[in-house]
Amino acid sequence: MPSLVKKWQSIQKELEEEEKSISISQTLRTRQLRVEFDGGRPVFSLRAPLDLVQFPSISCPRWPVECEVISNAIHHIGNFDKNIFEKQILMSFVSHSFEADKCPYFTCSRVGGSRVSVNSTSSSNDVNQTDLSLEFESRFESGNLQKAVQVGPYDYELTLRTDLYTSKHTQWFYFRVRNMKAGVNYRLTIVNLMKRRSLYSQGMKPLFYSERAATESAVGWKRIGSNITYYRSQPRTLYSLTWTLQFPYESDTCYLAHCYPYTYSRLQRYLRHISSNPAVVSYCKVRVLCHSLAGNAVYVLTVTSRAGENEEEGKAKKAVVVTARVHPGETNASWLMEGFLDFLLGNSDDAQLLRDTFVFKVVPMLNPDGVVVGNYRCSLAGRDLNRNYKTTLRDSFPCVWHTRNMVEKLLKQTDVVLYCDFHGHNRKNNVFMYGCNNQDDDFPKLQERVFPLMLSKNIRNKFSFKSCKFQVQKSKEGTGRVAMWRLGIKNSYTMEATFGGSTLGDRKGTHFTIQDLKSLGFYFCDTLLDYFDPDPAKVTYCLKELTTVLSDEVRELGKELDTNFSVFDLESGTSGSDSSDSDGLPLHLLTQPQTVHAEVHMMTIFSH
C-alpha cells in the first residue's frame, strides 16, 4: 500500500511539473524552449527546431553578381570503367596565356548570377569561328574555361579562369563542347596551368562525357585522350597540358573535366533525398551550420542513434567529426564523402553499431561558393579556407569559423576521438593520410599512425601507408588538421585521394572510378569499427608493427627509438599542397584604409 501511495505522489508531482512547464512556455510564447524541473527549480534548454532546412525542388545557388550563367540544368550518369594508364609521347608546342578582366573582390551575390541575358548556344571561340569550329561553353555550375582560340582546323588553345578575385590556381577544368565531327583527331591544349608537376605526366587522362553515349549505351564518364603531354610553356612560369581525342558521335554534346564533377546542386539533391526518408531522419538531422559569403547554405549532419539520447548512455557517446570539399576543385573528396554517408546512413549492422557508438558531425561541403563558381582552391574571399582555421574574422571566413566553433562546443560536451578532412591530391597516386605527431604521455607513442595503418590493411590495392606523413609544419598551422589537433583531438587527419589512380596490387596502373572513390568512404567506416573495437588486439598488433618498422629505420640512422627521439626526423619532403600562398586577410579588407588593417591585426593578436 505505501508503494502505491508513493507512486501516486510521483505521478502527481510529474503532472504538476508538466503544468508548470506548459504555463511557462505559454507565458514566454515559445515552442523551442524546453522546461524541466530539478528539485522544484525550472531548468531551461532548447529543442532543435523542426524543419529547419527547406531544400528547394530546383537548386538555386547564389553566384557573384558579375558571373554570367546559362540556365541549362546539367546531369551526368556515373561510370565504373577501369581505364588503364598509358605511357606518353613527348611533343613540342608553343602557347600563350591570356589575362582575364576581373572585379577586385567579392561584393554581392544573387541567384543565377548576372542579370545580363546569356545566349546558351553562344560560343566562346575567337570571332573567326567557322561552321567547322567547336563550340565551347563553361558558364554553368562548377564550370571553368575562360577562353578557347582556334589555332588550326582541329587545333585549340584553351585558357582556364583563375580562382575568382585571384591570379592563381588554374587546375580545375570542366566545360562543354558541341559542333564536333566524328572520327577527327582534335587537339586541345590548356596553356596556363601553374603547377610544376602533374599526374598527367604519369599516365593520367582527362575525363570525357558524351550525352549520346549516356542516352544510347548508358556510358558515363570515361578517360580519353592520346599523345598526352604536360610541359613548361611560355612564359616560363606557366605549364601546358595537351592531348588528342576523337569524338564518338557527330553533333553530340560532350563535356571534359579534370575529375568527376560534383556540384553544390548535387549535394542538395542528395540531402533532400535522405531527408525524405523517415527511417534515416530518425537518426540523421540535417541543419544549416552557417551561410557562405554568397549566401549559400553550409550544411551539417548529426548522425547518431536516437535510442538513449536523453539518458546517461547517450551522454557518454564519443564524437567523430568528418568534413570535405574545403578546396572546391577536389571533387573526388565529395565522392568519398557520399560513399561515407551511404554507409553510415545505411541499414547494415555495422552502420547501426557506428550510430550506437558515436555521435557523428559531418560537414559535406565546406566551400559551396568555390564549388558553384568553378574555383580550384579558394573561397570568394580570394583565400584558401584551409589556411584560415585560426581566424577571428567570422564574417570573412564563415565556413571554417563556424566549423571550428562547432568542434569547440562539442569538445565541452564529450570527447572527439577522431577528426578527418577529405581532400584530393594532384601530384601523387593512391590514397594516403596526413596526421600529427603526438608527444603527450597520456597518448601511446605512434598511436596516431594506427588508424592510417589499419586503412592500408583494409584497402591494400588503393591506400599507401608509405605515402602518409605526420609532420606539423608551421606553414600548415591554419589547416583543419592542425587546428583540430591543437584543440586536443589526437587523431586528426587529412585524407588525400588521388586524381589519378592506384600503383598497388591488382589495381596497379588503373584510374580511380567514381565507385572506387565512394568505396573509400565505406572502408573509412569499416576501419572506425576496427580502431575502436573494445578488443584491443588489432590496435596492439599495429602498434607492435609500427614500433618494429620505425625501429629498423631509426637503427639505420644510428639512433635508438626512445622518448627523446622524434619520428619527425624520419620524414622528408612536404606534406599537403604546395599552394599555401593564398592565406592572409580577405581581399575586400585589403582595399580598406590602413587603420582597418591595424584593427584587424590587433584583434588577431588578442584572440591568441
Side-chain angles (χ1 to χ4, degrees):
M1 195 70 175
S3 62
L4 289 175
V5 172
K6 288 182 179 180
K7 189 172 182 180
W8 173 247
Q9 290 175 341
S10 175
I11 292 173
Q12 278 189 317
K13 184 178 179 181
E14 289 178 4
L15 290 172
E16 289 174 1
E17 290 182 349
E18 185 176 349
E19 288 177 1
K20 290 179 182 178
S21 176
I22 294 172
S23 175
I24 292 174
S25 297
Q26 289 175 343
T27 302
L28 297 176
R29 297 182 180 180
T30 176
R31 296 181 181 179
Q32 194 174 348
L33 193 64
R34 180 189 290 115
V35 184
E36 297 175 348
F37 287 85
D38 183 9
R41 298 178 61 184
V43 178
F44 299 95
S45 59
L46 289 175
R47 292 187 179 92
L50 299 176
D51 301 323
L52 187 63
V53 179
Q54 296 286 342
F55 293 105
S57 57
I58 300 176
S59 180
C60 303
R62 297 186 66 87
W63 296 69
V65 291
E66 66 269 20
C67 290
E68 295 182 2
V69 187
I70 62 174
S71 58
N72 306 51
I74 297 171
H75 300 282
H76 302 298
I77 64 173
N79 175 276
F80 309 142
D81 182 33
K82 296 179 183 179
N83 296 277
I84 306 300
F85 289 176
E86 293 181 357
K87 294 182 179 179
Q88 309 307 321
I89 303 172
L90 293 177
M91 303 173 61
S92 60
F93 191 80
V94 178
S95 60
H96 301 278
S97 64
F98 300 90
E99 290 295 327
D101 294 330
K102 299 182 187 297
C103 295
Y105 54 86
F106 171 74
T107 55
C108 57
S109 66
R110 65 181 297 270
V111 173
S114 172
R115 294 184 183 277
V116 176
S117 177
V118 178
N119 182 359
S120 63
T121 61
S122 66
S123 170
S124 56
N125 285 347
D126 193 74
V127 293
N128 295 323
Q129 178 188 356
T130 68
D131 292 339
L132 298 178
S133 298
L134 296 177
E135 296 177 1
F136 293 86
E137 180 61 81
S138 65
R139 293 170 295 177
F140 48 79
E141 191 175 351
S142 293
N144 190 320
L145 178 66
Q146 177 182 302
K147 189 175 183 179
V149 177
Q150 187 172 5
V151 295
Y154 305 107
D155 203 346
Y156 294 82
E157 289 184 352
L158 312 179
T159 304
L160 302 183
R161 177 184 52 73
T162 60
D163 282 8
L164 280 186
Y165 319 118
T166 80
S167 59
K168 295 173 286 191
H169 310 306
T170 50
Q171 191 69 33
W172 168 253
F173 61 88
Y174 175 33
F175 56 87
R176 187 183 75 192
V177 184
R178 287 177 175 168
N179 200 42
M180 68 282 294
K181 295 182 65 176
V184 171
N185 284 326
Y186 287 90
R187 175 182 290 173
L188 303 181
T189 303
I190 299 174
V191 299
N192 66 328
L193 297 166
M194 298 184 182
K195 288 185 178 290
R196 289 178 296 172
R197 291 186 292 146
S198 171
L199 288 172
Y200 288 112
S201 298
Q202 301 178 37
M204 190 173 86
K205 293 183 176 183
L207 278 159
F208 174 83
Y209 186 94
S210 162
E211 287 193 354
R212 282 191 59 180
T215 301
E216 298 175 10
S217 307
V219 175
W221 287 99
K222 59 185 293 186
R223 302 284 178 170
I224 197 171
S226 59
N227 300 329
I228 302 172
T229 310
Y230 192 89
Y231 58 97
R232 188 188 296 272
S233 58
Q234 298 293 336
R236 302 287 288 178
T237 56
L238 296 176
Y239 296 80
S240 291
L241 168 66
T242 184
W243 73 99
T244 302
L245 76 159
Q246 290 188 0
F247 294 97
Y249 300 101
E250 202 90 9
S251 302
D252 194 4
T253 295
C254 300
Y255 297 83
L256 287 115
H258 181 53
C259 191
Y260 305 100
Y262 196 108
T263 63
Y264 180 62
S265 294
R266 179 186 173 92
L267 173 67
Q268 288 188 312
R269 290 195 299 271
Y270 181 84
L271 296 180
R272 182 169 63 243
H273 173 71
I274 64 176
S275 297
S276 64
N277 185 331
V280 173
V281 170
S282 68
Y283 49 75
C284 175
K285 297 178 182 177
V286 182
R287 297 289 183 263
V288 175
L289 177 66
C290 64
H291 286 85
S292 65
L293 286 181
N296 292 305
V298 179
Y299 300 102
V300 59
L301 286 69
T302 302
V303 182
T304 192
S305 298
R306 183 165 291 181
E309 260 188 359
N310 298 317
E311 300 173 9
E312 289 302 318
E313 58 264 31
K315 296 179 182 178
K317 284 186 180 181
K318 299 183 186 301
V320 173
V321 178
V322 184
T323 60
R325 211 65 185 281
V326 69
H327 294 148
E330 296 171 4
T331 59
N332 34 10
S334 279
W335 291 109
L336 202 164
M337 173 60 77
E338 187 169 297
F340 168 77
L341 288 174
D342 282 349
F343 185 101
L344 185 61
L345 302 178
N347 56 9
S348 68
D349 291 341
D350 284 346
Q352 182 66 52
L353 180 57
L354 283 171
R355 298 192 296 265
D356 290 344
T357 307
F358 300 106
V359 175
F360 289 87
K361 291 287 186 178
V362 183
V363 185
M365 190 171 285
L366 281 161
N367 190 352
D369 293 350
V371 172
V372 168
V373 302
N375 277 4
Y376 173 61
R377 194 165 185 85
C378 297
S379 73
L380 294 184
R383 299 303 185 200
D384 184 344
L385 291 181
N386 204 36
R387 296 295 182 272
N388 285 282
Y389 271 88
K390 296 168 63 178
T391 187
T392 58
L393 303 177
R394 179 179 62 182
D395 295 337
S396 296
F397 303 109
C399 310
V400 293
W401 189 95
H402 282 277
T403 299
R404 178 189 171 100
N405 187 57
M406 175 191 73
V407 174
E408 288 176 336
K409 290 181 178 179
L410 192 61
L411 283 165
K412 294 177 181 178
Q413 302 168 7
T414 187
D415 291 335
V416 179
V417 292
L418 188 141
Y419 163 86
C420 191
D421 190 23
F422 295 159
H423 283 252
H425 205 284
N426 261 297
R427 294 174 289 117
K428 293 182 181 180
N429 281 305
N430 306 311
V431 187
F432 48 94
M433 299 184 91
Y434 295 129
C436 303
N437 274 321
N438 290 287
Q439 302 297 327
D440 294 349
D441 294 335
D442 63 342
F443 199 72
K445 197 172 185 66
L446 307 180
Q447 182 79 29
E448 72 279 348
R449 299 169 185 246
V450 172
F451 187 81
L453 181 60
M454 285 183 167
L455 263 174
S456 71
K457 294 180 181 297
N458 288 335
I459 331 174
R460 294 181 182 274
N461 61 356
K462 299 185 185 76
F463 192 99
S464 171
F465 183 73
K466 289 183 178 180
S467 296
C468 296
K469 302 285 186 183
F470 300 88
Q471 300 176 7
V472 181
Q473 298 169 296
K474 186 176 181 180
S475 62
K476 303 300 191 294
E477 286 287 337
T479 63
R481 166 178 62 98
V482 177
M484 300 305 173
W485 179 68
R486 296 288 187 201
L487 290 177
I489 304 174
K490 304 300 183 183
N491 292 302
S492 185
Y493 304 104
T494 297
M495 186 166 174
E496 301 273 359
T498 182
F499 282 84
S502 175
T503 63
L504 305 170
D506 60 356
R507 290 301 307 276
K508 183 177 182 179
T510 62
H511 287 86
F512 280 172
T513 64
I514 289 175
Q515 189 60 31
D516 286 326
L517 295 170
K518 293 184 71 171
S519 74
L520 299 174
F522 305 160
Y523 285 114
F524 185 89
C525 291
D526 195 39
T527 306
L528 281 175
L529 291 172
D530 288 339
Y531 184 76
F532 293 105
D533 193 323
D535 181 354
K538 293 178 182 178
V539 172
T540 302
Y541 176 84
C542 287
L543 282 171
K544 288 181 179 178
E545 180 179 330
L546 286 166
T547 301
T548 301
V549 171
L550 290 173
S551 295
D552 291 341
E553 294 182 21
V554 170
R555 200 171 292 113
E556 292 179 4
L557 298 176
K559 300 181 179 181
E560 294 184 0
L561 187 61
D562 56 28
T563 57
N564 296 320
F565 178 75
S566 173
V567 291
F568 177 89
D569 297 330
L570 294 175
E571 297 178 354
S572 60
T574 59
S575 64
S577 169
D578 57 358
S579 301
S580 59
D581 54 349
S582 289
D583 52 6
L585 290 175
L587 293 177
H588 70 278
L589 288 183
L590 292 179
T591 64
Q592 303 299 319
Q594 290 299 314
T595 53
V596 174
H597 294 184
E599 290 173 3
V600 171
H601 179 65
M602 291 303 294
M603 182 171 63
T604 304
I605 291 175
F606 285 120
S607 69
H608 296 293

